[in-house]
Every structure is written in C-alpha cells, then in structure tokens.
Amino acid sequence: MILFSPLSIIMEGETSWVSHCPDYVVPDMVEFDSFSELNDEENREASSVPVDLILPDDLLERILAYLPIASIFRASCVCKRWCEIVNSRRFLWNFSQVLSQKPWYFMFTGSEEPVGYAYDPSLRKWYSIDLPCIQTSNCFIASSCGLVCIMDNDSRSELYVCNPITKCSKNLQEPPGLKFSDYSALAICANMKTSCYSVAIVKSKQVPGNFYQWDLSIHIYDSGTMKWLTPLTEVLTGWRGGDESVICDGVLYFLIYATGGGGLESRHGLITYNLSSRSSHCSLIKTFIPVPCSLTCGRLMNLKEKLVMVGGIGKPDRPDIIKGIGIWALKGTEWQEIARMPHKYFQGFGEFDDVFASSGTDDLIYIQSYGAPALLVFDVNQKQWRWSQKCPVTKRFPLQLFTGFCFEPRLEMSP
C-alpha cells in the first residue's frame, strides 16, 4: 500500500517532498558479535554507523510517527527501509496513536480555478498542494480529524469527502430535501478510532410570499450506513438559516439570522440539535441561544469538542460596521469571552470588511480577511497572537478575494 507516491506537495522555494524515490542501494551490513569485542579502532568505526541501522523497525516506526507531516514525507525518501516503514499499515497505526498534529490552513484565491497554499504552523512554512475535489472556489467546506467535506455552491448536490494529504476521496450521494435552497450550512464530524464520520447539512428556504417565515430542514449522512436521514423540519418565523454550522460532542450548532422585526442586538442567534437522539419532535427555536454582543458576522468552530465562536464586533450606533474581533466559548448556554484581537493586529489587516474567514481546531484559530492574503494565528492555550509567514499567494488585481479553511493533517484517515 503506497500512500505517498501520488502526492505532489511542493515547499515554497524547494523541490517536491515526494517524487519517484530512487532505488536505494543498501550497503552490506557489518555484523558485530558484541560491543565488548570491539577494539578502539572498531569503536571509532561504530560511532559512524547510522542509528537507523541499530534501531529495530518497531522503535524506528514510533520515532518517525512523532515527526511533523512534512518531515515524514521527507523521511520516506531517505532510504528504501524508511520508505517501506512509513508506507506500512503498522506505521499508520503508530501514527494514529500520536497526539493530534497542529492544524494546517489552506488559503486559496476566489477564482474559477482555485490555486492555494497550505500553512504548517509547526514549521512555519507554506506548501503548494492540489486539493482533490475542489474545482471552483465557490463551494462549502468543512473539516474534522483529517477529513475535508466539500459541497459545490451552484447545484449543492455534489458532495465529496477527502483526505487532503493522501488524496483519497469519496463522492457522496446527493442529499435529500430541497434541491435549491436559499441558504445551506455544511458540517462534518469524524471519529479517529472508528474512522466513521457524519455529515450534516442545514437547508433554509423562504416560504413563498412570506419574507418572515423560512422552511428549515436538517439532513444527516452516516458513513456506516451510507444513507441520508432527514430527522427534522421546522418553519422559523423572523429567523432564517445561514451558511455557518459545526458539530461538537455530538451536537449540531448553527447560526440563524434575523429577517426583521427584532432589535439590533438580535441579528444573530445560535440553534442546537442533538445528533445522538436525532429527535423529530423537538423544537429548534426553543434551543435558541443569543450571541454575546452585536455581531457583524460569526464563525463557529470545534476546539477539542468545545464550541468556539469568532465574531466581528459591531459599533454600538452602527452594528453593521466592524470595530474589532472577539473570541468566545460556549459553556452551557452562556458565552465566555476568551480573547479580543489587539488593535494593532486588527489594523494590520488594513481595510477589514464586516465579514471575514476564520476557522480552527485543536488549540489554534486562524483569522483571514477576504481582501488580502494576510493570516493571523491565535493560540488559545498560550493566549498568543502571531502572524503567519507571508503567503506565496499574491494579489493580482484590486478586487481579488481570498478565502481558506483549516484541517488537521492525518495519514490514517480515509473516507
């Protein structure tokens, strides 16, 4: 089973990680009866023996499994033995036991042919990679545990789940329900122990002739049964669905938006749905949780099975104009503020729109302006803000847009 040979990932200013590995010539092995029998001259020769010739395969596998993804790819080209090790099933099992890799951020341009780079925060480098299944930048994207789900925005009927590192992908059957909805939100939740995953789509469509009422439906795909279910439909009054959702600890969260008749502080709200029970009799609007303040936009993400929201804070007199960015975590039904972006970083983006891209997992949150390739990283544990290295993507014309998403680089996850 060769995992890496079809992968073509190029580091900025360097050659590809994996080309066709040459046929390495393994030197004749020198057999020693015991270390005590070596004389001084032999000791000097032994000191130059590569450590990988001494280590048994199982120990070398464990060592290599702790390397960053980029280093693992390089290791596969060191010699024939290492190449065989990192392509073995046992190595994938060892890799799966390692704590999560820091999430990468894939940034691409809003063009017909999306071209982008992935940022590795461990090595602070950008890599040029070709993501499978992305044929246009106009699509919905969600990720979980190394898997990325992609749904086209035009027909909203083509869905793919892929591993961006191994390039493995699977086309999902068309989801049920409204073929053309006004708004759709996509979320995925994967389990690394079982390799199973669930995909959730929240569709929202205006009731004909009534601007204040919107049909909302939830559709769930289970990789185990390979079937879609529509456990719940509901008509919302004064609220509509949007394009923001995430799954945390078995609960689907998604933002809803006021359609009129409410105060300025109720432009956004949060709705929850328990995926474990998949009840068809619950009332979604009764799970309503208000947002912590007036927001220009909100971005939901799963950080270690806790719901975190990054939001643009609106001005008191002009809630549609952004004055800063805040980060909150949901505890029960209450929001707790984690951090606010320092003003110097907010200014560092230049002209910041009222909406922006933001995603995160594990302990890292990425924030990006749609109008520029600048990327800001916030470490939740260390409470530290930091700019990424400059992205190789360049702005070619004034109205060019940029977007992106984060994903965890994993080798063992497959759709």
Side-chain angles (χ1 to χ4, degrees), residues 330-374:
L330 185 67
K331 187 174 183 180
T333 59
E334 300 293 330
W335 293 100
Q336 295 182 343
E337 184 171 311
I338 296 177
R340 291 206 180 191
M341 182 186 295
H343 192 61
K344 66 176 182 178
Y345 291 107
F346 185 75
Q347 288 183 317
F349 282 102
E351 186 176 349
F352 208 99
D353 295 329
D354 58 329
V355 294
F356 52 87
S358 181
S359 61
T361 188
D362 198 29
D363 292 320
L364 294 186
I365 295 175
Y366 294 95
I367 300 175
Q368 176 198 352
S369 168
Y370 288 130

Side-chain angles (χ1 to χ4, degrees), residues 264-265 294 313-321 323:
L264 293 178
E265 295 184 356
S294 178
I313 303 173
K315 293 184 177 181
D317 55 337
R318 293 287 303 277
D320 56 333
I321 297 180
K323 71 170 186 177

Side-chain angles (χ1 to χ4, degrees), residues 125-409:
K125 290 182 178 292
W126 289 91
Y127 311 127
S128 174
I129 66 175
D130 296 323
L131 287 185
C133 311
I134 293 187
Q135 301 175 349
T136 174
S137 61
N138 191 20
C139 58
F140 299 90
I141 301 176
S143 68
S144 174
C145 299
L147 297 181
V148 175
C149 186
I150 302 166
M151 179 175 70
D152 74 301
N153 191 30
D154 295 327
S155 67
R156 303 184 186 180
S157 60
E158 296 183 13
L159 275 93
Y160 299 88
V161 176
C162 69
N163 183 324
I165 300 298
T166 65
K167 300 298 183 70
C168 296
S169 64
K170 180 180 180 179
N171 180 213
L172 304 186
Q173 58 182 280
E174 183 177 343
L178 299 170
K179 188 172 182 62
F180 298 103
S181 57
D182 295 319
Y183 297 93
S184 296
L186 177 69
I188 183 174
C189 177
N191 187 320
M192 285 196 294
K193 292 183 178 180
T194 63
S195 296
C196 294
Y197 57 90
S198 298
V199 176
I201 300 177
V202 181
K203 296 184 178 182
S204 183
K205 187 173 180 62
Q206 182 182 350
V207 174
N210 191 330
F211 180 75
Y212 295 103
Q213 288 191 326
W214 290 73
D215 285 317
L216 189 143
S217 58
I218 297 176
H219 311 274
I220 303 170
Y221 176 84
D222 189 312
S223 67
T225 61
M226 294 187 293
K227 293 182 179 180
W228 286 94
L229 295 175
T230 305
L232 187 66
T233 60
E234 188 171 323
V235 176
L236 301 183
T237 301
W239 297 92
R240 63 164 178 82
D243 58 2
E244 197 65 30
S245 66
V246 72
I247 300 173
C248 297
D249 197 23
V251 177
L252 172 65
Y253 298 90
F254 56 95
L255 289 179
I256 57 175
Y257 306 80
T259 58
L264 293 178
E265 295 184 356
S266 60
R267 298 175 63 203
H268 298 78
L270 183 72
I271 292 292
T272 71
Y273 178 73
N274 192 322
L275 295 178
S276 301
S277 62
R278 297 186 182 181
S279 172
S280 58
H281 304 292
C282 62
S283 172
L284 290 175
I285 201 63
K286 289 184 178 180
T287 67
F288 180 90
I289 299 174
V291 294
C293 64
S294 178
L295 300 178
T296 62
C297 73
R299 303 292 180 235
L300 304 178
M301 56 202 71
N302 180 341
L303 270 59
K304 295 183 176 179
E305 299 305 324
K306 294 182 179 179
L307 177 67
V308 172
M309 181 174 66
V310 178
I313 303 173
K315 293 184 177 181
D317 55 337
R318 293 287 303 277
D320 56 333
I321 297 180
I322 190 170
K323 71 170 186 177
I325 293 179
I327 303 175
W328 299 268
L330 185 67
K331 187 174 183 180
T333 59
E334 300 293 330
W335 293 100
Q336 295 182 343
E337 184 171 311
I338 296 177
R340 291 206 180 191
M341 182 186 295
H343 192 61
K344 66 176 182 178
Y345 291 107
F346 185 75
Q347 288 183 317
F349 282 102
E351 186 176 349
F352 208 99
D353 295 329
D354 58 329
V355 294
F356 52 87
S358 181
S359 61
T361 188
D362 198 29
D363 292 320
L364 294 186
I365 295 175
Y366 294 95
I367 300 175
Q368 176 198 352
S369 168
Y370 288 130
L375 181 64
L376 185 62
V377 187
F378 177 68
D379 189 308
V380 176
N381 271 349
Q382 300 180 9
K383 306 294 183 183
Q384 182 183 54
W385 299 87
R386 189 176 189 179
W387 293 105
S388 73
Q389 296 294 98
K390 185 178 179 181
C391 181
V393 175
T394 57
K395 191 166 187 175
R396 299 180 179 178
F397 51 89
L399 297 180
Q400 185 176 14
L401 298 178
F402 303 85
T403 188
F405 64 94
C406 80
F407 67 93
E408 184 184 339

